[in-house]
């Protein structure tokens, strides 16, 4: 029996690590009283080596009686089945709909024996179908849970961020194994003055069963765990995470560590969980949410999505893996062996294989068409640019449009390819190039703080006269602005290539590359490497490279 448990445990760990290699995402949540302006905010990085960064759009529509909807697995495109279409569907841009409802996710997998491959609804389809059918976060929860109960749940364990202009929820869901249609799930509302996060590890512990206003759950969430032998105590001691996705080293070090890195920026006591997030499941787990010591702006959340454990002892720029230019990146696989021992690469919130990254911002004091902003970027959040796309937009920008390039087809008008081009240059001279990238991020993202109030003032005046006129105006702004920002990013790439060609650094003066009195480029700087890197060279090949005087 002990051997069987060990084998099952290893299998779960293997499945978790395999999932982390493929689709490992991070989500942050901010209640409206925890934000600087009263916004509700969530975030999402679609971290996948196989996903292209583009912006989806579904227009609002009316459907005839008896219409059916084909459901395809969001990750693979595999056809899963058909479900009845509803009479009316709402407009959706990316992960936000026209009523300021936003939904994101992170996959925790959980117990592999619970995956039901006969189900029709995968996690991605659940998100985009619910967005087309919901006017509030609570309605989205009802839609999602009703769909899986009726048609089955195809995916592994999932954490969903579900938010609207008034509230934010985390819902965790896991299947009930082949032949047992449906799912067990629990949804908990994040208090308005708190922040929360999830990152590929189930995070809901005890369930406040009596708090009907802030907690919703499937009737069999505990009884099913008893039936499967995952839990045998009293209901008040039941933990969703411990039953359906028990902590292990990988779930802590590669997943909970990302939540910790976010929390500790807003709570100085979070270092007490350092041993826990470094892989010790016997330590006290972190709370589902915390009350931050200061309020968060949308810029804060965007910057938090660029985190690489800076300021902690997990800082990815501090060890030899960062190379001579202190790059916070480690190429896959996540684990490697030396002399029979297994080691890991840190998994930070920001990671190179991201397809797209978003910060949905919902504001209840504005009309929905103006209040909902999907801050959208492509590729790695660290080197991405967050551009505002209003939730009522009637179309998507060319730079984000579906069909403008793909993972195997480069396009000079695709934001995904332009940002990847810039990022892949920066990887090789990171400590230098990131400073130039930050300047342009600040130029554009910082500029929105001045630009958007004027845009929205004009939109509100139009909305009072004709709501559709305001929608057309916001669509024009969203599309034109994103395309212009992508063109600016292309200019940044051209600048970086010229400035840092062949490992040198061009001299600059008054914002231009320096020339001699005859118009020729002056000799560039040869920065070489820092002392720490030179020492590592001496340690590995010093005798061979040593200069020996006569």
């Amino acid at each position: 029996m002990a051997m069987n448990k060990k084998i099952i445990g290893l299998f779960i760990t293997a499945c978790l690590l395999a999932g982390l290699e493929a689709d490992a995402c991070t989500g942050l949540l901010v209640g409206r009283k925890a934000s600087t302006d009263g916004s509700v905010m969530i975030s999402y990085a679609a971290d996948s080596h196989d996903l292209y960064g583009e912006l989806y759009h579904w227009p609002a529509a009316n459907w005839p009686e008896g219409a059916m909807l084909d459901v395809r697995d969001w990750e693979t495109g595999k056809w899963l089945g058909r479900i009845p279409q509803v009479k009316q569907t709402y407009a959706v841009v990316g992960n936000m709909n026209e009523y300021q409802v936003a939904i994101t996710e992170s996959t925790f997998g959980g117990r592999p024996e619970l995956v039901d491959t006969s189900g029709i609804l995968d996690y991605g389809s659940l998100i985009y179908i619910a967005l087309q059918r919901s006017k509030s976060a609570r309605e989205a929860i009802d839609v999602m849970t009703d769909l899986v109960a009726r048609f089955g749940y195809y995916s592994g364990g999932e954490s969903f961020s579900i938010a609207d202009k008034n509230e934010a929820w985390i819902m965790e869901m896991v299947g009930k194994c082949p032949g047992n249609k449906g799912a067990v799930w629990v949804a908990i509302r994040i208090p308005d003055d708190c922040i929360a996060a999830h990152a590929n590890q189930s995070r809901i512990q005890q369930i406040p069963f009596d708090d009907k206003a802030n907690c919703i759950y499937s009737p069999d969430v505990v009884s099913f765990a008893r039936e499967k032998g995952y839990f045998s105590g009293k209901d008040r001691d039941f933990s969703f995470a411990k039953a359906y996705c028990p902590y292990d080293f990988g779930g802590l070090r590669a997943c909970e560590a990302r939540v910790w890195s976010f929390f500790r920026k807003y709570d100085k006591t979070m270092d007490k969980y350092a041993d826990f997030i470094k892989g010790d499941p016997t330590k006290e787990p972190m709370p589902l949410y915390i009350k931050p010591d200061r309020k968060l702006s949308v810029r804060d959340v965007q910057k938090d999505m660029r985190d690489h454990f800076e300021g902690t002892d997990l800082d990815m720029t501090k060890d030899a893996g960062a190379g001579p230019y202190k790059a916070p990146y480690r190429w896959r696989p996540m684990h490697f062996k030396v002399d029979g021992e297994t080691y890991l690469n840190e998994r930070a919130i920001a990671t190179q294989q991201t397809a797209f990254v978003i910060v949905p911002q919902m504001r209840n004091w504005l009309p929905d068409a103006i209040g909902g902003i999907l801050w959208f970027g492509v590729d790695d959040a660290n080197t991405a640019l967050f551009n505002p796309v209003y939730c009522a937009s009637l179309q998507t920008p060319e730079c984000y449009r579906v069909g403008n390039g793909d993972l195997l087809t480069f396009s000079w008008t695709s934001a995904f390819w332009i940002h990847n081009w810039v990022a892949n240059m920066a990887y090789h001279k990171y400590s230098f190039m990131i400073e130039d990238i930050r300047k342009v991020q600040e130029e554009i993202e910082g500029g929105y703080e001045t630009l958007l109030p004027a845009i929205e003032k004009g939109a509100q005046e139009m909305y009072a006269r004709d709501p559709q006129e305001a929608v057309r105006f916001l669509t024009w702004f969203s599309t034109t602005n994103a395309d212009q920002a992508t063109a600016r990013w292309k200019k940044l790439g051209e600048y970086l290539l010229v400035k840092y060609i062949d490992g040198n650094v061009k001299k600059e003066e008054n914002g231009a590359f320096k020339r001699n009195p005859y118009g020729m480029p002056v000799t560039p700087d040869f920065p070489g490497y820092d002392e720490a890197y030179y020492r590592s060279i001496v340690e590995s090949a010093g005798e061979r490279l040593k200069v020996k005087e006569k």
Side-chain angles (χ1 to χ4, degrees), residues 447-494:
Y448 292 140
E449 295 183 31
T450 302
L451 177 61
L452 259 58
I455 292 294
E456 291 173 359
K457 183 176 184 297
Q460 290 180 74
E461 293 171 356
M462 293 180 194
Y463 195 89
R465 298 192 305 268
D466 180 357
Q468 285 306 306
E469 180 185 4
V471 168
R472 289 191 294 270
F473 169 69
L474 292 172
T475 300
W476 169 83
F477 171 76
S478 299
T479 55
T480 303
N481 177 76
D483 287 336
Q484 290 177 344
T486 299
R488 175 67 181 91
W489 213 253
K490 183 173 180 287
K491 287 291 185 183
L492 170 63
E494 294 167 354

Side-chain angles (χ1 to χ4, degrees), residues 259-276:
V259 175
W260 170 81
S261 192
F262 170 58
F263 277 0
R264 72 183 300 277
K265 294 177 182 178
Y266 304 99
D267 183 342
K268 296 178 176 60
T269 71
M270 291 304 296
D271 281 348
K272 67 184 179 183
Y273 298 105
D275 290 340
F276 172 72

Side-chain angles (χ1 to χ4, degrees), residues 53-61 63 74 89-98 128-129 131-132 356 374 376 389-398 400-403 468 471-472 474-476 478-479:
E54 54 194 359
L55 184 57
Y56 316 124
H57 179 256
W58 291 268
W63 301 90
W74 182 61
T89 55
Y90 311 130
V92 177
V93 58
N95 286 60
M96 180 187 283
N97 75 13
E98 61 181 301
Y128 297 113
I129 293 173
L131 286 171
Q132 294 175 69
F356 63 85
L374 183 74
F376 190 83
V389 177
Y390 283 86
C391 69
S393 293
L394 300 172
Q395 62 187 56
T396 58
E398 180 187 7
Y400 300 144
R401 193 160 298 160
V402 175
Q468 285 306 306
V471 168
R472 289 191 294 270
L474 292 172
T475 300
W476 169 83
S478 299
T479 55

Side-chain angles (χ1 to χ4, degrees), residues 227-514:
E227 175 189 325
K228 301 297 290 185
Y230 304 149
F231 176 70
S232 60
K234 297 180 179 179
D235 284 6
R236 66 172 179 267
D237 299 322
F238 177 76
S239 162
F240 188 93
K242 289 179 180 177
Y244 296 114
C245 184
Y247 290 132
D248 61 11
F249 181 86
L252 297 178
R253 188 60 181 269
C255 305
E256 286 291 90
R258 283 177 268 159
V259 175
W260 170 81
S261 192
F262 170 58
F263 277 0
R264 72 183 300 277
K265 294 177 182 178
Y266 304 99
D267 183 342
K268 296 178 176 60
T269 71
M270 291 304 296
D271 281 348
K272 67 184 179 183
Y273 298 105
D275 290 340
F276 172 72
I277 61 96
K278 289 178 182 177
D280 186 350
T282 67
K283 301 295 184 180
E284 178 188 0
M286 292 186 295
L288 178 64
Y289 49 79
I290 64 168
K291 185 174 181 178
D293 57 19
R294 64 187 185 281
K295 294 186 177 184
L296 287 71
S297 68
V298 69
R299 296 291 307 283
D300 288 326
V301 179
Q302 291 168 356
K303 291 174 182 177
D304 292 335
M305 292 302 290
R306 293 171 172 147
D307 181 75
H308 301 105
F309 297 112
E310 288 89 349
T312 79
D313 59 355
L314 304 183
D315 190 333
M316 297 177 70
T317 67
K318 300 299 186 184
D319 62 61
Y325 298 117
K326 312 303 179 190
Y329 298 99
R330 305 295 184 269
W331 309 141
R332 297 301 186 256
M334 289 186 65
H335 292 74
F336 59 94
K337 287 190 175 184
V338 175
D339 297 332
E341 294 288 340
T342 302
Y343 299 87
L344 59 80
N345 288 313
E346 302 292 359
R347 170 51 163 104
I349 291 176
T351 184
Q352 63 271 11
Q353 76 273 13
T354 304
F356 63 85
V357 57
I358 59 175
V359 177
Q361 180 184 18
M362 290 70 74
R363 299 171 293 176
N364 65 9
W365 63 92
L366 291 167
D368 288 329
I370 305 169
I373 301 179
L374 183 74
W375 293 92
F376 190 83
V378 287
D379 192 36
D380 176 11
N382 184 49
T383 52
L385 186 63
F386 286 96
N387 288 311
V389 177
Y390 283 86
C391 69
S393 293
L394 300 172
Q395 62 187 56
T396 58
E398 180 187 7
C399 62
Y400 300 144
R401 193 160 298 160
V402 175
N404 184 5
D406 57 46
L407 277 179
L408 302 178
T409 308
F410 185 91
S411 168
W412 279 114
T413 58
S414 160
F416 177 82
W417 279 115
I418 296 300
H419 281 75
N420 270 279
W421 173 52
V422 170
N424 277 266
M425 278 196 285
Y427 296 151
H428 303 291
K429 209 175 184 70
Y430 182 81
S431 59
F432 285 80
M433 291 193 186
I434 193 61
E435 296 300 321
D436 297 297
I437 290 171
R438 290 285 184 260
K439 289 176 184 176
V440 181
Q441 284 175 332
E442 183 59 35
E443 168 197 323
I444 298 176
E445 293 175 350
Y448 292 140
E449 295 183 31
T450 302
L451 177 61
L452 259 58
I455 292 294
E456 291 173 359
K457 183 176 184 297
Q460 290 180 74
E461 293 171 356
M462 293 180 194
Y463 195 89
R465 298 192 305 268
D466 180 357
Q468 285 306 306
E469 180 185 4
V471 168
R472 289 191 294 270
F473 169 69
L474 292 172
T475 300
W476 169 83
F477 171 76
S478 299
T479 55
T480 303
N481 177 76
D483 287 336
Q484 290 177 344
T486 299
R488 175 67 181 91
W489 213 253
K490 183 173 180 287
K491 287 291 185 183
L492 170 63
E494 294 167 354
Y495 167 82
L496 294 175
L497 181 59
V498 172
K499 182 176 180 178
Y500 297 106
I501 191 170
D502 295 335
N504 304 323
V505 181
K506 295 285 197 306
K507 292 182 173 69
E508 294 179 274
E509 187 175 65
N510 299 324
F513 293 121
K514 198 171 182 180

